[in-house]
Amino acid sequence: QVQLAESGGGSVQAGGSLRLSCAASGYGYSTYCMGWFRQAPGKARDVVAAIDRRGSTMYSDSVKGRFTISKDNAKTTLYLQMNNLKPEDTAMYYCAALYQGTRTLGEIWGRYFAGASRADYWGQGTQVTVSS
């Protein structure tokens, strides 16, 4: 079981950058696949990026080439580097964890993260606002 806390959100002009952090506490951090999700007003919560136990990553098409997900296992901290931000990136961003077990990142992405926006644990969210 883990607890998640996001930070690093804020307001930025289009073309700018932000780096989000997600600090994890509790037990079993290394057994989870981690992800970043976002939700804009009136929209569904959608996965942005994910990273598994081995460090393999996946991204949604809308952020490929602009966002980078990474983690520091020693610090039990997840990151999302966001570059070339666009107004459509404006949303509440959430950190999430899903117990990986024997499943691959592809399975988790398709069946849980992208397919159903499902995870075992969620942070409270951090707001990102991008102005034009």
Side-chain angles (χ1 to χ4, degrees), residues 9-13 18 85-87 89-91 93 127-131:
S11 298
V12 64
Q13 293 184 350
L18 285 173
L85 284 162
K86 303 175 180 180
D89 295 319
T90 295
Y93 283 71
Q127 179 68 40
V128 172
T129 302
V130 184
S131 61

Side-chain angles (χ1 to χ4, degrees), residues 99-116:
Y99 179 71
Q100 186 159 356
T102 60
R103 293 168 294 190
T104 66
L105 177 58
E107 292 175 49
I108 291 173
W109 182 274
R111 184 172 181 178
Y112 296 94
F113 285 177

Side-chain angles (χ1 to χ4, degrees), residues 42-112:
K43 302 288 186 178
R45 185 175 298 186
D46 294 323
V47 65
V48 173
I51 185 167
D52 74 356
R53 295 171 59 189
R54 298 292 185 88
S56 297
T57 60
M58 293 187 71
Y59 299 89
S60 65
D61 289 341
S62 62
V63 306
K64 286 180 179 177
R66 299 189 298 121
F67 291 10
T68 302
I69 188 171
S70 63
K71 62 178 180 178
D72 185 331
N73 287 339
K75 296 180 179 179
T76 63
T77 300
L78 179 74
Y79 304 97
L80 184 68
Q81 179 67 46
M82 304 184 295
N83 298 325
N84 299 316
L85 284 162
K86 303 175 180 180
E88 51 263 43
D89 295 319
T90 295
M92 184 73 73
Y93 283 71
Y94 298 91
C95 176
L98 181 72
Y99 179 71
Q100 186 159 356
T102 60
R103 293 168 294 190
T104 66
L105 177 58
E107 292 175 49
I108 291 173
W109 182 274
R111 184 172 181 178
Y112 296 94

